[in-house]
Amino acid sequence: MALLLGFLLLLELCWDTSALGPLSSTKGSDGLEFELPATNYETKDSNQAGPISVLFQIVQVFLQVVQPHPFPEDILRKILQKKFDFSTDYDKPENVVLTLKIIYYEIGIIICAVLGLLFVILMPLVGFCFGLCRCCNKCGGEMHQRQKKNGAFLRKYFTVSLLVICIFISVGIIYGFVANHHLRTRIEKTRKLAESNLKDLRTLLIGTPAQINYVLSQYASTKEKAFSDLDNIKSLLGGGIHDQLRPKVIPVLDDIKAMAEAIKETREALLNVNNTLKELKMSTAQLNTSLSDVKRNLEQSLNDPMCSVPPVATTCNNIRMSLGQLDDNTNLGQLPSLDKQIDNINNVLQTDLSSLVQKGYKSFNDIPEMVQNQTTDIVSDVKRTLNSLGSDIENMSEQIPIQDKLSDFIGYINDTETYIHRNLPTLEEYDSYRWLGGLIVCCLLTLIVVFYYLGLMCGTFGYDRHATPTRRGCVSNTGGIFLMVGVGISFLFCWILMTIVVLTFVIGGNMEKLVCEPYQNRKLFQILDTPYLLNENWKYYLSGMVLDKPDINLTFEQVYSDCKENKGIYSTLKLENTYNISEHLNIQEHARNLSNDFKNMNVNIDNIVLLDAAGRKNLMDFSSSGVDTIDYNVYLAEMGKTPTKVNLLSFADDLDTKANNLPQGSLKQSLKNNAQNLKTIHHGQVMPLEQSMKYGKARSTINQSIKELQHKSSGLRVKVANILSSLDSAQDFLQTRISSVIVKESSKYGNMIIGYFEHYLQWVKISITEQIAACKPVATALDSAVDVFLCSYIIDPMNLFWFGIGKATIFLLPAIIFAVKLAKYYRRMDSEDVYDDIL
């Protein structure tokens, strides 16, 4: 029952600290992180006995052999339920059966105790009788040794046997010394153990309110994050709506903007082509005039009379037939002018389409600003709701009765510490007496075995096998005397030693089997958890004591296990049955209040115009400007031709060659002059024109412009129609679907704000229910009281002490026999037999 009361006292600590509620630590969402400060405790979880633990295990194995029966759960339950009273109800059949069960369970210890008591009773009687017997010169008391043939063998046998027995006794004595010293050192550590446990419990009690205040104070960080996001609603909500609409709107505006640039580029290209064509037409006209003059002059020269005289006539005919090659090779003059298309484009450019597109961009990009302006009141309402929630959370610490409970139990701890400090010196004083008594016992056994060792040493080294029993030396005689002194002391004190062994064996053995082992395998807790055991009106004693609700399944084993795992007291003691934190932290209710605020959000941004009617008309005018009806391939084909049908230099050289073959005269001179004119025309007109049309920058520019016009005008009406269709689709989306986008993004934004507080409140709930006031120090304190102090500090060394001393005391019995037998061979006799041979 003392163990039970100690455990219940520790649970009272859990109850007092639990009435407040618990704490925890987790990581927040969206940049919020919550984590409880770690609590460090001094007391270690486990106690290491060191190398001596091997000896403790040997004793436990011995106890297992002596007491092999399982833990008597049914017997203890009936005893704790007080089903019978040994003083009055011993004759009842059920009590007789129970008594027999107890005897059966304790049979090993009882047999050992009875044997020990027989030893205690018989050894003084045997010693008294042995002494009287020797006084009557019996039992080896006669100082006369008869001759035996195997006398030498018996002496050696007795010597070796006594030596082995003394070694066993010495081992037992060493066990006793070690156990006695170990117990003393562990008692000296009791003060430190108690102080560390009390300090840990005080840390638990003092740290719990700090943990609760820390958890509640984290609401400020949550609120600060929410306020920051509310103040940043322009980019978060407005930007979200803008990003959702961007894929539908921006491509259309980009196409219109590109079309506006295309209109300007089309005008530039048309002007470039048109101006270049005008220049080329003038140059080709001048070339045609020059070539016509040369052709006319050649025709006149070929009318010379010499052209009728062979062979000149042949030459003249050849020249006359080649004059057709001097005609113009291009039809640039027939290419239509682009003035009409240029005028149409100029009319289109009177409307600044780029400016209208920029207005569409601005109207669309103003959505975040519009959202901010229209949600000012909603943001204020949400902030007020959050401030109200903060007030409720701050008041929670006042609603939980922490301070009174903690101050009361801190008083209990202080009283306990005062009691320990006041009585621990007394315990240490009594332990000093116990240590001194144990030391005396060990020294007494040591004295006995020393006499035996001295007797063996003197007898062995002083023995002269040639000396007769009456003539043995002084050393040998002294060895025999030492052996008999050891025997005498053994008879005088062995019964006292066995008495001590029996008492400590019965107490230590039962404590090991009934307390220490069942505590370690938790069967002791299972006994205490038996329904209606400790209180016949309570199904579960612990829940009845802690919660005042005995029907709740709260067990000692479960509480101890949870505390060993460092769980919070709230969940360990199932305090939701008395203080339901969920009712005080109604997450759904707070989330619903915030959600209602966001549902009242009314954002109207359906008046966005991407492109007005003027812009639409501008696009239509461009599509009907006629640039797509121009046959650009004709222009490119003409630009690819050479200005003349023949190379004028080649023609002039051929003409000059033919003239050289003619006789001197006006015809020859005229042909040479025309050849020279052709060379002049080639260098002065053809070559510049060829460079402009074929090789120079002008042609490259005009060809590029024509191809650019061809590309831009290809499918122009379809392109404009597609742009207008996309524009109508985007505009229709803004008018009909934007409300759903606003609702979706507003819900997303509201859930983000609400999520901060849902996560915070959930963390508070988890902290209070699972982590605040983690009761590991309670389990550690209980382990320190039972497993460490009682079992490791006291019972284990006590068991080792009786094991060692008991073994040494038991071996005193054969030691006495062999010492008495051996002393006869070492001591000097008064008389002797007549020996035929002296051995």
Side-chain angles (χ1 to χ4, degrees):
M1 291 302 294
L3 173 63
L4 172 63
L5 292 177
F7 185 64
L8 296 182
L9 178 62
L10 293 172
L11 289 178
E12 177 64 20
L13 165 63
C14 300
W15 167 239
D16 288 337
T17 54
S18 64
L20 36 129
L23 265 208
S24 96
S25 61
T26 57
K27 289 194 183 219
S29 59
D30 298 324
L32 286 176
E33 293 187 1
F34 304 116
E35 184 173 0
L36 280 178
T39 303
N40 297 320
Y41 299 109
E42 288 187 2
T43 308
K44 296 181 179 179
D45 294 338
S46 59
N47 175 62
Q48 300 295 334
I52 197 175
S53 59
V54 176
L55 302 180
F56 294 157
Q57 292 175 2
I58 294 175
V59 178
Q60 291 169 359
V61 171
F62 174 77
L63 285 175
Q64 186 62 34
V65 174
V66 173
Q67 180 64 289
H69 305 295
F71 183 64
E73 299 181 21
D74 294 337
I75 297 175
L76 287 180
R77 287 192 181 98
K78 291 182 180 180
I79 293 176
L80 291 175
Q81 287 174 336
K82 298 181 180 179
K83 294 296 183 181
F84 71 99
D85 187 345
F86 284 105
S87 62
T88 59
D89 299 330
Y90 62 88
D91 56 344
K92 289 184 178 181
E94 61 271 19
N95 293 342
V96 172
V97 172
L98 184 60
T99 304
L100 292 176
K101 288 183 177 179
I102 295 174
I103 293 174
Y104 175 75
Y105 175 77
E106 294 282 345
I107 188 65
I109 293 179
I110 291 174
I111 292 175
C112 292
V114 169
L115 292 176
L117 292 176
L118 289 175
F119 188 94
V120 171
I121 294 172
L122 294 177
M123 283 304 290
L125 294 177
V126 171
F128 179 73
C129 294
F130 181 74
L132 292 178
C133 184
R134 287 184 67 86
C135 290
C136 297
N137 291 327
K138 302 294 184 181
C139 304
E142 182 183 6
M143 298 301 291
H144 176 83
Q145 187 175 23
R146 290 176 172 79
Q147 181 183 15
K148 293 182 180 181
K149 292 183 179 180
N150 60 346
F153 169 77
L154 291 176
R155 175 177 55 78
K156 295 177 181 178
Y157 168 72
F158 293 148
T159 301
V160 173
S161 299
L162 182 59
L163 178 62
V164 172
I165 292 172
C166 288
I167 292 174
F168 281 111
I169 295 174
S170 301
V171 172
I173 294 172
I174 292 173
Y175 286 178
F177 275 115
V178 171
N180 194 48
H181 176 73
H182 184 78
L183 180 56
R184 179 176 177 82
T185 57
R186 290 301 178 266
I187 293 297
E188 291 174 352
K189 292 183 178 181
T190 301
R191 182 185 299 274
K192 181 179 179 181
L193 178 66
E195 289 178 351
S196 66
N197 277 279
L198 291 172
K199 184 177 180 180
D200 291 344
L201 293 174
R202 190 176 284 108
T203 300
L204 171 63
L205 296 178
I206 296 175
T208 297
Q211 286 181 319
I212 292 179
N213 292 333
Y214 173 81
V215 169
L216 299 182
S217 67
Q218 292 305 298
Y219 179 79
S221 301
T222 307
K223 186 174 73 172
E224 181 180 350
K225 175 64 175 176
F227 277 24
S228 174
D229 288 352
L230 288 171
D231 293 336
N232 201 25
I233 193 172
K234 175 180 178 180
S235 60
L236 294 177
L237 177 57
I241 296 174
H242 185 272
D243 291 341
Q244 290 294 320
L245 299 177
R246 175 185 289 275
K248 193 71 176 178
V249 174
I250 293 301
V252 177
L253 293 177
D254 290 343
D255 289 343
I256 298 173
K257 182 180 179 182
M259 189 59 71
E261 294 297 325
I263 293 173
K264 295 178 181 179
E265 293 172 356
T266 299
R267 177 180 178 275
E268 295 298 327
L270 286 173
L271 288 174
N272 183 35
V273 172
N274 199 41
N275 293 333
T276 303
L277 283 176
K278 288 180 180 181
E279 295 176 358
L280 292 176
K281 285 179 180 180
M282 291 176 60
S283 297
T284 54
Q286 292 176 1
L287 176 60
N288 287 335
T289 301
S290 299
L291 290 176
S292 297
D293 291 342
V294 172
K295 183 177 180 181
R296 187 172 53 255
N297 291 332
L298 287 173
E299 288 176 348
Q300 291 176 358
S301 298
L302 292 175
N303 290 329
D304 190 279
M306 289 187 67
C307 287
S308 59
V309 180
V312 177
T314 302
T315 302
C316 290
N317 289 332
N318 291 336
I319 293 173
R320 186 177 292 110
M321 292 177 64
S322 64
L323 290 179
Q325 296 178 358
L326 296 178
D327 293 334
D328 184 14
N329 190 42
T330 64
N331 296 316
L332 293 177
Q334 297 179 2
L335 293 177
S337 175
L338 302 178
D339 291 338
K340 181 181 179 181
Q341 287 82 359
I342 292 174
D343 291 339
N344 292 336
I345 295 299
N346 287 332
N347 291 332
V348 172
L349 289 175
Q350 288 180 0
T351 301
D352 191 354
L353 184 60
S354 297
S355 177
L356 297 178
V357 174
Q358 291 302 322
K359 288 182 180 179
Y361 277 119
K362 184 177 185 304
S363 178
F364 179 69
N365 291 330
D366 284 344
I367 289 178
E369 188 72 27
M370 296 168 63
V371 170
Q372 184 179 29
N373 295 334
Q374 296 180 31
T375 56
T376 303
D377 295 338
I378 296 298
V379 169
S380 300
D381 293 340
V382 173
K383 287 183 177 181
R384 280 194 295 270
T385 301
L386 296 181
N387 286 327
S388 175
L389 177 59
S391 300
D392 294 340
I393 292 176
E394 291 176 359
N395 294 332
M396 185 181 299
S397 61
E398 300 176 0
Q399 298 172 2
I400 304 175
I402 298 176
Q403 301 301 331
D404 294 340
K405 295 287 186 180
L406 291 182
S407 60
D408 292 344
F409 198 79
I410 289 176
Y412 299 154
I413 291 181
N414 293 334
D415 294 342
T416 302
E417 187 173 19
T418 301
Y419 176 82
I420 291 175
H421 288 165
R422 184 175 62 251
N423 292 279
L424 191 58
T426 304
L427 174 64
E428 292 174 346
E429 181 181 0
Y430 288 158
D431 182 66
S432 298
Y433 300 149
R434 179 215 55 79
W435 174 79
L436 183 59
L439 188 63
I440 291 173
V441 169
C442 294
C443 289
L444 187 59
L445 283 169
T446 304
L447 180 63
I448 294 173
V449 79
V450 165
F451 279 123
Y452 286 153
Y453 280 128
L454 290 175
L456 287 171
M457 182 178 66
C458 294
T460 300
F461 293 104
Y463 181 77
D464 185 0
R465 63 190 184 90
H466 298 290
T468 62
T470 58
R471 295 179 181 180
R472 288 172 181 155
C474 181
V475 175
S476 176
N477 185 57
T478 302
I481 294 173
F482 277 139
L483 292 177
M484 294 309 298
V485 171
V487 170
I489 297 176
S490 297
F491 275 119
L492 287 175
F493 296 104
C494 66
W495 65 276
I496 299 176
L497 299 178
M498 184 56 70
T499 302
I500 296 174
V501 169
V502 170
L503 290 176
T504 53
F505 166 71
V506 172
I507 295 174
N510 280 293
M511 289 295 292
E512 175 68 27
K513 302 298 290 186
L514 296 177
V515 177
C516 296
E517 283 188 9
Y519 178 83
Q520 293 171 355
N521 57 32
R522 302 186 184 180
K523 288 186 177 180
L524 193 60
F525 297 115
Q526 297 173 8
I527 295 294
L528 299 177
D529 291 331
T530 303
Y532 307 106
L533 175 67
L534 302 179
N535 189 319
E536 61 184 11
N537 296 320
W538 289 356
K539 183 176 182 180
Y540 298 103
Y541 181 81
L542 188 57
S543 60
M545 182 189 69
V546 175
L547 305 176
D548 199 23
K549 296 179 180 179
D551 293 332
I552 296 175
N553 187 8
L554 181 64
T555 63
F556 289 94
E557 184 179 13
Q558 172 252 310
V559 170
Y560 175 78
S561 299
D562 288 351
C563 287
K564 286 289 285 184
E565 296 174 3
N566 203 29
K567 292 185 179 180
I569 288 178
Y570 188 94
S571 60
T572 299
L573 296 181
K574 300 182 179 181
L575 296 179
E576 66 273 8
N577 295 285
T578 58
Y579 182 84
N580 195 334
I581 193 65
S582 298
E583 295 178 358
H584 295 79
L585 288 175
N586 194 329
I587 299 175
Q588 298 301 326
E589 180 180 354
H590 294 302
R592 188 163 49 250
N593 293 336
L594 291 173
S595 179
N596 290 333
D597 288 336
F598 284 107
K599 285 181 179 179
N600 295 328
M601 184 179 296
N602 185 16
V603 179
N604 184 12
I605 53 176
D606 55 358
N607 55 349
I608 299 175
V609 178
L610 301 179
L611 189 67
D612 58 14
R616 292 171 178 270
K617 183 178 182 303
N618 189 262
L619 290 174
M620 295 298 296
D621 290 342
F622 177 59
S623 66
S624 60
S625 63
V627 295
D628 58 331
T629 61
I630 300 173
D631 189 357
Y632 295 102
N633 290 326
V634 175
Y635 286 84
L636 291 173
E638 291 299 324
M639 294 304 298
K641 294 180 180 180
T642 58
T644 58
K645 292 181 179 181
V646 68
N647 190 317
L648 293 183
L649 284 179
S650 299
F651 189 89
D653 291 340
D654 182 63
L655 183 61
D656 196 40
T657 301
K658 290 178 179 179
N660 290 330
N661 294 329
L662 296 177
Q664 293 292 330
S666 59
L667 178 60
K668 180 177 181 179
Q669 187 63 39
S670 175
L671 291 176
K672 283 185 170 290
N673 290 337
N674 284 304
Q676 186 62 40
N677 290 336
L678 287 174
K679 292 181 179 180
T680 302
I681 291 171
H682 178 77
H683 291 293
Q685 296 183 33
V686 175
M687 289 183 64
L689 187 59
E690 284 181 344
Q691 290 177 356
S692 298
M693 294 179 64
K694 189 174 182 180
Y695 305 107
K697 180 179 179 182
R699 183 179 184 276
S700 176
T701 301
I702 192 171
N703 276 355
Q704 181 179 355
S705 298
I706 293 172
K707 290 181 179 179
E708 181 179 353
L709 287 170
Q710 187 179 31
H711 173 71
K712 291 184 180 299
S713 63
S714 177
L716 178 61
R717 295 178 184 273
V718 176
K719 292 179 180 178
V720 172
N722 291 337
I723 290 175
L724 291 177
S725 176
S726 299
L727 178 62
D728 291 337
S729 177
Q731 192 69 55
D732 179 69
F733 181 83
L734 291 177
Q735 292 176 353
T736 60
R737 302 287 300 279
I738 193 171
S739 58
S740 62
V741 174
I742 293 174
V743 171
K744 178 182 177 182
E745 289 300 314
S746 298
S747 176
K748 180 180 177 181
Y749 176 75
N751 290 336
M752 180 181 67
I753 300 297
I754 295 172
Y756 296 152
F757 296 92
E758 285 184 335
H759 179 78
Y760 169 74
L761 294 177
Q762 187 66 30
W763 174 67
V764 171
K765 181 179 178 180
I766 293 175
S767 298
I768 292 179
T769 56
E770 297 182 8
Q771 294 182 322
I772 287 182
C775 58
K776 188 171 186 179
V778 178
T780 303
L782 185 61
D783 288 342
S784 298
V786 179
D787 192 40
V788 178
F789 176 72
L790 179 61
C791 296
S792 297
Y793 283 9
I794 297 178
I795 300 302
D796 284 346
M798 178 192 294
N799 288 338
L800 180 61
F801 182 80
W802 63 251
F803 181 77
I805 300 303
K807 181 173 72 171
T809 304
I810 291 173
F811 276 106
L812 287 179
L813 185 58
I816 290 173
I817 297 173
F818 286 112
V820 171
K821 292 286 187 180
L822 186 60
K824 200 75 170 180
Y825 292 91
Y826 291 160
R827 296 183 66 186
R828 185 183 299 123
M829 299 290 105
D830 294 337
S831 62
E832 60 182 326
D833 291 342
V834 177
Y835 294 94
D836 294 333
D837 295 314
I838 299 175
L839 297 177

